[in-house]
Amino acid sequence: MKPDQALHLSPEPDPLIEPHNGSTWRLYTILIAALLLWLFAWYADTTASTVAIWYRSETYAHGYLIFPISAYLIWTQRHKIRTIRPEPNAWGIVALIGLGSLWLISDSVEALVVSQYALVGMVPAIVWAVLGRRVSVALLFPLLFLLFAVPVGDFLLAPMMSFTADFTVTALRITGVPVFREGNFFTVPSGSWSVVEACSGLRYLIASLTLGCLFSYLTYRSIWRRAVFIGLSIFMPVIANGLRAYMIVMIGHLSNNRLATGVDHVIYGWVFFGFVMMLLFWIGSKWRETDTTTEPRPKTQPGTRATVQQASSKVAVFAVLSALTIAIWPSYARHLDQARDIPMPLSLLPSNAPEGWNAESDRITDWEPHFLTSERTVRQTFNQHGTKVEVLIKYYRNQSQGAELINTNNQLVSTRDPRWALASDDSTVIQFRAMPLKVTKATLRSGNSRLLVWNWYWIGGKYTSNAYLAKLYQAKAKIFGEGDDAAAIFVYTPFDEKPDAANEVLHRFVPAVFPSLDLTLSSAKR
């Protein structure tokens, strides 16, 4: 180099770097974790109610394991996720808005299961909004697996108990054992049996479905194999529970009730369920799909520091938007939850008895519907030439969890009731305001006593016997600031053997009392 030559230096361009290395993804992980803590803090009541059910119910105790399992499944995908460039997505914000709206509606009517599903659904929505569609798709199963944390299934108790009773009685008759059945109670020559909640098989079904979905995800690659195995994980425990109930009754019958009763009953049930699950997984392992090729680890797409900073800034912006969207709904819910301080009338019953009916103070039965705590409970007996009908109203206002009109725990008869049992459940139609109104019609029994019960709901001036429709009426009234006043109405009369005469009595009585009853309830709402 000659002395008079100048050395010209020019800055070299930024080298290509990995836009989302381990350090960057750790920051994203911390950001998502912070958003989840923010989410569960704002929806603390819904979160606490979910954990409380896990704690008190053996059926849903598996909920404690769902989040750790999901986290582990996500961790196994960490190498794949690091190769994806986060692209925040506005549709994730839209999903958060929709789920927040759903939570608000369900929270306003104390539809706890829907609120819990909406809350858990916000977790994948946050990932979608902040990290984008590609990351969400890569983690689709671990994120959707979180839905098993929601303690849902009580609505299946009644139909599963009925199916178990049908299966057991049919199997007994096929094998030559005479059976007399009334509802979920049946009698064989050696004694009487009943199908209660523990016999429904709901625990088996929920455990089998949860494990079946996890097994199919880890074992198979094709959608159809996963679908078939999940179908088997639903079908087998239901049939197995029917066989279990039949075998327990047969063991008790053949041993003159020395075996398969008490603790043995429970032990035999779980041992048999364990055998069924082993058989299910053994069958499923025969179809196992193993990757025969080793795919090279994908390389991260290169980029400059500028693109990394731009992407990170966008992630931060969408994280803030997600946090604000999360906070909107519980804030508005607190505004709606302000209690209505309106005096209630001294009585919710008609001031005048229907024509031909005389009011009296004596009760006709000791039966009481198994409903949650109400603001007020009133009853009145009416007598017409020796024929007695009783009216019971449970009135709800400022409803909250554990004190609400519509709840899966609200039943005409509790399955644990030592005296009364539900013998049949049907419906009938009456006319009111020139419109047909379907009401629930049930027959209850206690020893030799029988009771015909009609039941329906009143929600702010609207009548229905459909629990789902009642929830919609409540949601509309609550969100539009009309309050949540509602009532459960029960009208019942005793009978000896045939319910036809009792049915005719109620068909005469209810239309006569309905107008004054409607006026009284409407006055209570004001």
Side-chain angles (χ1 to χ4, degrees):
M1 178 181 296
K2 295 181 180 180
D4 59 343
Q5 282 183 318
L7 183 61
H8 297 283
L9 298 176
S10 58
E12 295 182 3
D14 284 359
L16 295 178
I17 62 172
E18 287 189 356
H20 302 287
N21 54 29
S23 177
T24 306
W25 269 104
R26 278 192 290 273
L27 291 176
Y28 290 158
T29 302
I30 293 172
L31 179 61
I32 293 296
L35 282 172
L36 293 182
L37 289 175
W38 175 263
L39 172 70
F40 294 127
W42 272 101
Y43 298 82
D45 289 343
T46 305
T47 303
S49 67
T50 304
V51 176
I53 296 175
W54 296 348
Y55 177 77
R56 69 171 182 261
S57 173
E58 293 181 3
T59 303
Y60 304 112
H62 68 280
Y64 286 111
L65 302 175
I66 299 301
F67 275 83
I69 291 173
S70 178
Y72 172 76
L73 295 176
I74 291 173
W75 182 79
T76 61
Q77 299 294 317
R78 64 192 183 282
H79 297 303
K80 179 180 179 181
I81 295 303
R82 286 179 180 176
T83 67
I84 302 174
R85 178 179 298 167
E87 297 175 352
N89 195 306
W91 284 109
I93 301 294
V94 173
L96 274 177
I97 293 173
L99 289 166
S101 302
L102 179 62
W103 178 89
L104 178 65
I105 294 171
S106 57
D107 181 73
S108 66
V109 294
E110 301 298 333
L112 184 57
V113 169
V114 181
S115 298
Q116 292 167 339
Y117 268 123
L119 174 59
V120 174
M122 291 184 197
V123 175
I126 289 172
V127 176
W128 186 12
V130 177
L131 300 181
R133 182 184 63 84
R134 294 176 62 199
V135 174
S136 300
V137 171
L139 301 177
L140 185 61
F141 179 84
L143 292 174
L144 293 183
F145 188 72
L146 293 174
L147 296 176
F148 282 108
V150 178
V152 63
D154 285 351
F155 69 96
L156 293 173
L157 276 173
M160 291 188 69
M161 288 168 61
S162 179
F163 174 82
T164 302
D166 292 341
F167 189 101
T168 305
V169 169
T170 301
L172 288 169
R173 287 171 176 166
I174 289 175
T175 50
V177 179
V179 185
F180 172 76
R181 177 184 179 184
E182 187 174 15
N184 291 332
F185 293 79
F186 51 92
T187 303
V188 296
S190 60
S192 298
W193 297 80
S194 65
V195 178
V196 295
E197 289 183 7
C199 304
S200 67
L202 181 62
R203 294 180 186 177
Y204 302 156
L205 175 61
I206 292 176
S208 176
L209 179 59
T210 304
L211 293 173
C213 288
L214 183 60
F215 182 88
S216 66
Y217 170 73
L218 297 174
T219 307
Y220 308 123
R221 298 293 173 266
S222 61
I223 294 178
W224 74 268
R225 292 196 187 197
R226 289 176 174 174
V228 169
F229 188 83
I230 291 172
L232 282 175
S233 69
I234 297 173
F235 175 77
M236 286 190 66
V238 174
I239 299 301
N241 185 63
L243 290 171
R244 177 194 66 85
Y246 164 70
M247 289 189 296
I248 286 175
V249 174
M250 283 299 294
I251 292 172
H253 175 62
L254 297 176
S255 66
N256 198 24
N257 294 323
R258 292 192 302 270
L259 301 175
T261 59
V263 177
D264 290 350
H265 187 123
V266 179
I267 293 175
Y268 293 166
W270 279 109
V271 169
F272 183 69
F273 174 70
F275 171 76
V276 171
M277 292 306 298
M278 289 178 59
L279 179 62
L280 177 64
F281 292 143
W282 179 77
I283 294 173
S285 65
K286 299 296 183 181
W287 303 339
R288 180 184 298 274
E289 292 178 301
T290 305
D291 291 337
T292 56
T293 59
T294 303
E295 296 183 0
R297 181 176 172 178
K299 296 181 179 180
T300 306
Q301 295 179 352
T304 65
R305 284 190 176 88
T307 59
V308 173
Q309 293 175 355
Q310 183 180 8
S312 298
S313 299
K314 192 174 182 181
V315 167
V317 169
F318 271 77
V320 172
L321 289 175
S322 298
L324 293 175
T325 304
I326 288 169
I328 291 173
W329 312 104
S331 300
Y332 187 59
R334 290 171 186 172
H335 169 71
L336 292 177
D337 283 338
Q338 295 177 356
R340 298 179 72 231
D341 187 16
I342 301 176
M344 294 189 66
L346 295 177
S347 175
L348 297 169
L349 290 168
S351 56
N352 298 318
E355 184 177 354
W357 295 86
N358 299 314
E360 58 182 45
S361 58
D362 294 338
R363 293 186 59 180
I364 63 175
T365 176
D366 63 348
W367 169 76
E368 182 85 16
H370 185 262
F371 268 55
L372 299 176
T373 305
S374 58
E375 182 82 7
R376 179 171 295 176
T377 299
V378 294
R379 59 169 50 84
Q380 179 66 63
T381 301
F382 296 94
N383 190 331
Q384 185 187 62
H385 307 305
T387 299
K388 295 185 177 183
V389 176
E390 193 165 308
V391 178
L392 171 65
I393 300 175
K394 299 183 78 69
Y395 196 93
Y396 294 83
R397 174 180 290 173
N398 302 324
Q399 299 181 50
S400 60
Q401 192 64 38
E404 55 191 308
L405 174 67
I406 307 297
N407 187 290
T408 54
N409 292 319
N410 287 351
Q411 302 168 341
L412 289 178
V413 180
S414 170
T415 55
R416 299 184 178 92
D417 193 309
R419 291 200 56 203
W420 289 92
L422 181 65
S424 66
D425 190 4
D426 200 354
S427 63
T428 189
V429 177
I430 60 176
Q431 294 292 324
F432 177 63
R433 296 174 181 167
M435 295 289 291
L437 172 64
K438 180 184 288 188
V439 301
T440 299
K441 180 177 71 173
T443 301
L444 312 183
R445 74 175 186 89
S446 175
N448 294 325
S449 300
R450 298 292 186 272
L451 202 63
L452 181 64
V453 182
W454 285 9
N455 164 232
W456 64 95
Y457 307 116
W458 172 88
I459 306 96
K462 298 182 182 296
Y463 292 95
T464 183
S465 59
N466 186 304
Y468 300 103
L469 190 57
K471 280 291 189 185
L472 290 177
Y473 289 154
Q474 281 186 251
K476 176 180 176 294
K478 183 75 177 287
I479 290 176
F480 286 96
E482 299 174 4
D484 62 356
D485 286 35
I489 303 168
F490 307 87
V491 183
Y492 42 95
T493 188
F495 66 95
D496 293 328
E497 294 183 1
K498 296 184 179 180
D500 292 345
N503 198 47
E504 292 178 5
V505 169
L506 295 187
H507 268 291
R508 285 189 291 107
F509 175 82
V510 172
V513 76
F514 219 133
S516 55
L517 180 63
D518 178 61
L519 180 61
T520 305
L521 289 171
S522 299
S523 300
K525 180 178 181 296
R526 299 191 183 98

